[in-house]
Amino acid sequence: MTQSTMQGQLRMATPNDYAAVVKVMQDAGLEPDAVMVVGTTYWLLEQNGQPVGAIGLEHGDKASLLRGAAVVPAARGQGLGKQLVQSAVQHAREHGDTVLYMFSTGGDWESFQFTQVPLAVVMGDVPNAPQVALYRASGTRPGGTTWMRQLS
């Protein structure tokens, strides 16, 4: 799926895009650990052929975990983050998810209809998501706040 907009071209990432997704996340100040592993879906947003944004979903059973809503600093302020999040929400719905979770250290997630929930809720609903597995293995929390958005 490729979607062209005035802001750029948004397309589903392929394994060949791994380095580009990692670079976007690093440039945006995010940790790229466990990106694009089996059971995930990622998108890459490009402007003039250059990657400027990326986002992913880690899929569970009727629930997904939003991963890495990232826009490089030079491309911020154009609504690209909103475009990325809306694409991931749409895909989660089409995938049959009834809820979408995420970890965050900041941002206005309430404007995307997310509400804060306890970490234990996410751990129970998507126990095999790569971010949750990393959290369990390292004992470090992935992001300061846990968010949920109902999709049904």
Side-chain angles (χ1 to χ4, degrees):
M1 172 185 122
T2 300
Q3 175 186 4
S4 293
T5 68
M6 290 182 67
Q7 292 96 357
Q9 184 179 40
L10 178 65
R11 63 178 175 81
M12 200 165 289
T14 69
N16 293 335
D17 294 315
Y18 175 81
V21 170
V22 167
K23 182 166 179 12
V24 166
M25 290 193 177
Q26 288 173 332
D27 289 352
L30 299 178
E31 293 294 325
D33 297 334
V35 299
M36 295 184 67
V37 297
V38 173
T40 64
T41 304
Y42 278 80
W43 292 265
L44 194 59
L45 181 61
E46 298 171 320
Q47 288 181 328
N48 301 317
Q50 296 299 311
V52 296
I55 195 166
L57 287 174
E58 298 178 355
H59 302 291
D61 183 27
K62 299 289 182 192
S64 284
L65 186 62
L66 189 69
R67 174 66 194 266
V71 176
V72 298
R76 291 183 181 155
Q78 302 175 46
L80 301 178
K82 181 178 181 178
Q83 183 180 353
L84 288 167
V85 172
Q86 288 172 335
S87 177
V89 168
Q90 178 184 343
H91 182 81
R93 279 192 179 117
E94 291 169 358
H95 186 259
D97 292 338
T98 59
V99 65
L100 184 59
Y101 295 105
M102 69 170 295
F103 302 116
S104 174
T105 56
D108 180 17
W109 295 104
E110 291 168 340
S111 68
F112 291 103
Q113 302 170 352
F114 282 86
T115 57
Q116 292 186 30
V117 295
L119 177 62
V121 173
V122 180
M123 301 289 283
D125 268 7
V126 285
N128 299 317
Q131 283 186 89
V132 172
L134 281 173
Y135 168 72
R136 287 194 172 135
S138 68
T140 59
R141 183 184 173 94
T145 308
T146 308
W147 297 89
M148 174 188 78
R149 177 176 171 167
Q150 293 290 338
L151 299 177
S152 55

